[in-house]
Amino acid sequence: DQVDMYLIHWPTAFKYVPYDGTKRGFPMDFEPDCCTGVTGVEWDPEVFAKNWPPPHLEMDVTIHETWQAMTECVDAGLVKGIGVCNMKVSLLHELLKGTDYVPQIAQSESHPFCQQKGLIQMCEMNGIQFQAYSPLGYGEFKQEGEVSVLQSPEVLQIGAKHGKSAAEVVLRWHIERGVPTPPFSLRESEIRQNLTVGS
């Protein structure tokens, strides 16, 4: 009946994709990060750079229009809270101009190699809860040859000193700086471990 928290995932508007409630919802060929099946293109950043804008983006919709639609969901009782993801300080500043609805959460990638200090400060100044995703490192975005957070010599050294895993060290680091985070694992032992890092 009501969504607890509704976030703008990317701060760009995408082309409209028709919803069909009698089936799975969105068409099977809908690929959420670029609507490849809908717009007839493949995800290729080099092609996009030469032919800007990519056909899956809706360039005539502003962040303010998207945010207004989000606030209308709150006013209609469909959503308890609204927030944003993947916004830099400058865009968050722009969003806050001319709205009475301050995002409750600003979610962004954050870990020891991507600390987001400026964004966290901006959130604190405006009463927004910052939340870290990819709290244990880059995941699929790590460049070839880059040391992962969980293989960092400093993190491993701290873990060895305290008898903790690298993941426990990094999650405790988030807690110590007051940043909530949703760690993910498919292993029961790791999930149980994650629940103990705050104690």
Side-chain angles (χ1 to χ4, degrees):
D1 295 332
Q2 188 179 53
V3 175
D4 287 331
M5 183 61 65
Y6 188 35
L7 306 178
I8 295 176
H9 182 64
W10 289 114
T12 53
F14 284 29
K15 296 288 186 183
Y16 174 74
V17 177
Y19 179 80
D20 184 350
T22 64
K23 298 179 181 174
R24 87 183 257 279
F26 292 111
M28 290 300 289
D29 57 359
F30 172 66
E31 196 282 298
D33 272 341
C34 60
C35 308
T36 50
V38 174
T39 58
V41 299
E42 295 300 325
W43 180 259
D44 187 342
E46 291 182 13
V47 172
F48 289 171
K50 295 174 186 174
N51 302 291
W52 192 260
H56 65 280
L57 295 185
E58 183 57 75
M59 300 302 287
D60 295 329
V61 176
T62 70
I63 193 68
H64 294 288
E65 290 174 281
T66 300
W67 190 246
Q68 177 63 33
M70 301 281 283
T71 67
E72 290 171 9
C73 290
V74 175
D75 292 340
L78 300 172
V79 178
K80 289 183 182 178
I82 52 177
V84 298
C85 298
N86 301 302
M87 282 195 176
K88 301 293 186 188
V89 171
S90 57
L91 187 56
L92 186 55
H93 173 75
E94 174 65 25
L95 178 67
L96 292 174
K97 295 191 315 188
T99 182
D100 294 328
Y101 282 86
V102 174
Q104 291 180 321
I105 287 181
Q107 190 183 77
S108 189
E109 176 183 351
S110 185
H111 45 75
F113 292 174
C114 180
Q115 297 186 15
Q116 304 285 10
K117 290 180 181 178
L119 183 56
I120 291 172
Q121 183 180 24
M122 174 72 168
C123 288
E124 289 172 349
M125 291 168 58
N126 290 280
I128 302 168
Q129 176 64 67
F130 178 81
Q131 184 182 55
Y133 73 73
S134 295
L136 302 178
Y138 302 109
E140 64 183 276
F141 299 111
K142 187 173 79 67
Q143 300 295 313
E144 188 176 336
E146 254 185 300
V147 175
S148 70
V149 172
L150 297 182
Q151 295 298 318
S152 163
E154 293 83 3
V155 171
L156 293 172
Q157 183 179 8
I158 293 168
K161 179 180 178 181
H162 296 280
K164 301 291 183 179
S165 70
E168 286 177 293
V169 170
V170 175
L171 292 176
R172 183 61 188 233
W173 173 79
H174 285 287
I175 290 170
E176 292 290 329
R177 65 188 191 133
V179 172
T181 183
F184 172 78
S185 178
L186 296 175
R187 297 186 180 93
E188 182 180 346
S189 61
E190 292 178 350
I191 294 171
R192 290 184 181 280
Q193 200 177 66
N194 291 344
L195 294 172
T196 66
V197 296
S199 56

